């Protein structure tokens, strides 16, 4: 297998490349990622002290979460397979005086070059866009030091997530661009937990997050029916 390219869906990369100029438009097509950023940072901070820690951001896009992690004091290495998004990320970081090591690389390749180099690994809203999510999870497990944490967020797969994340979000409320998500690629929390365990990670915490239409914001919640976050730990020897 070629770790550089094998686990990449070219259509997915093209889709995000076409949105590249929108990464930092908080009211644009990628608005949802801006809206959920404070709560995912909040979730991460419940389990990881970020200041001074080395953090890898896998599938970083334009760097919305990477910059938040850097502002929280982490030393961030961030990778994505969309060159255009990385160009936007680099420019935005430079303009805002944020120091982030952006690289055009797949997770599997970074794992080969920097094994056990990170205190924490974050991989948000990526797994539902790759052909083989288990391979990305294995790479994340390989990247983190023993005792370190790995975070995933993705979408659950059921009727409710189809109605909310595809029908409502893409067609009715038009919160995200049509065709952003394919329901068949969504992953249940049980499936994600199983893949994490196979990669040698222990599941430490699970939380849902949900959109409140009246307040027009997102909050962490118990229900993992639609969007959810998982925190895993690599056991120390
Ligand atoms: N993690 C970011 C962006 C999520 S959007 C955030 O939550 O804010 C999904 C990102 O995954 C896009 O930037 C897309 O280019 C990237 N991507 C898709 N397939 C990928 C792959 N195989 N390897 C690395 N990045 C990939």
């Amino acid at each position: 297998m070629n770790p550089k390219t094998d686990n990449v869906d070219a259509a997915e990369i093209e889709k995000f490349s076409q949105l590249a100029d929108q990464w930092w438009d908080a009211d644009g097509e990628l608005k949802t990622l801006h809206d959920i950023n404070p709560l995912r940072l909040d979730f991460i901070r419940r389990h990881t002290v970020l200041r001074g820690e080395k953090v890898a951001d896998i599938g970083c896009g334009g760097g919305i979460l990477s910059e938040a992690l850097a502002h929280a004091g982490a030393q961030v290495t961030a990778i994505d397979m969309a060159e255009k998004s990385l160009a936007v990320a680099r420019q935005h970081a430079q303009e805002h005086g944020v120091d982030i090591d952006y690289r055009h690389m797949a997770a599997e390749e970074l794992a080969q070059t920097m094994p056990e180099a990170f205190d924490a690994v974050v991989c948000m809203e990526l797994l539902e866009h790759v052909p083989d999510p288990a391979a990305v999870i294995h790479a994340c497990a390989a990247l983190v030091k023993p005792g370190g944490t790995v975070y995933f967020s993705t979408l659950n797969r059921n009727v409710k997530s189809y109605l909310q994340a595809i029908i409502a979000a893409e067609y009715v409320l038009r919160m995200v661009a049509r065709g952003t998500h394919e329901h068949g690629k969504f992953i249940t929390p049980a499936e994600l937990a199983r893949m994490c365990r196979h990669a040698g990670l222990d599941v430490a915490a699970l939380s849902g997050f949900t959109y409140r239409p009246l307040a027009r914001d997102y909050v962490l919640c118990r229900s993992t029916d639609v969007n959810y976050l998982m925190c895993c730990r690599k056991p120390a020897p």
Side-chain angles (χ1 to χ4, degrees):
M1 118 150 206
N2 182 348
K4 292 187 184 177
T5 52
D6 277 8
N7 195 14
V8 179
D9 180 339
E12 291 280 0
I13 301 305
E14 178 56 24
K15 195 161 71 186
F16 285 101
S17 296
Q18 286 191 1
L19 292 174
D21 59 346
Q22 304 227 11
W23 276 110
W24 287 96
D25 180 354
D27 293 314
E29 306 243 20
L30 296 156
K31 176 182 188 329
T32 304
L33 295 174
H34 288 272
D35 291 347
I36 66 176
N37 215 34
L39 70 83
R40 51 193 189 175
L41 191 66
D42 183 35
F43 182 75
I44 293 169
R45 290 181 115 157
R46 289 181 189 184
H47 307 280
T48 303
V49 178
L50 290 169
R51 184 149 299 281
E53 299 286 90
K54 290 195 170 68
V55 179
D57 184 1
I58 308 301
C60 60
I64 298 169
L65 181 59
S66 322
E67 284 203 18
L69 294 165
H71 284 305
Q75 294 172 45
V76 182
T77 300
I79 62 167
D80 201 285
M81 288 302 285
E83 289 263 31
K84 279 192 184 168
S85 297
L86 285 174
V88 170
R90 286 194 186 102
Q91 189 179 347
H92 192 273
Q94 195 183 13
E95 282 170 8
H96 292 78
V98 190
D99 189 16
I100 293 171
D101 179 9
Y102 283 112
R103 301 186 190 191
H104 182 230
M105 211 179 245
E108 292 88 340
E109 191 187 358
L110 186 66
Q112 281 188 354
T113 50
M114 300 185 75
E116 300 198 339
F118 297 95
D119 301 291
V121 176
V122 305
C123 179
M124 303 275 180
E125 313 302 324
L126 170 70
L127 295 176
E128 68 274 20
H129 299 286
V130 297
D132 182 0
V136 172
I137 293 167
H138 264 92
C140 292
L143 284 163
V144 75
K145 294 176 187 172
T149 43
V150 183
Y151 296 86
F152 298 105
S153 70
T154 190
L155 286 146
N156 199 345
R157 191 179 67 258
N158 51 42
V159 173
K160 188 172 166 187
S161 71
Y162 178 71
L163 293 174
Q164 279 193 23
I166 307 247
I167 301 299
E170 293 190 12
Y171 290 85
V172 182
L173 302 174
R174 306 210 172 158
M175 292 160 63
V176 295
R178 276 189 198 182
T180 298
H181 287 120
E182 267 175 61
H183 192 250
K185 289 188 175 172
F186 291 3
I187 300 166
T188 68
E191 289 167 345
L192 181 56
R194 195 164 52 240
M195 288 190 276
C196 289
R197 282 193 298 273
H198 279 167
L201 298 171
D202 295 333
V203 177
L206 177 67
S207 175
F209 60 94
T210 191
Y211 183 64
R212 300 190 298 184
L214 290 180
R216 294 190 181 180
D217 66 359
Y218 284 84
V219 283
L220 292 173
C221 65
R222 269 172 189 271
S223 167
T224 57
D225 286 351
V226 185
N227 296 88
Y228 66 95
L229 290 146
M230 189 178 278
C231 169
C232 299
R233 206 167 285 281
K234 182 164 173 173

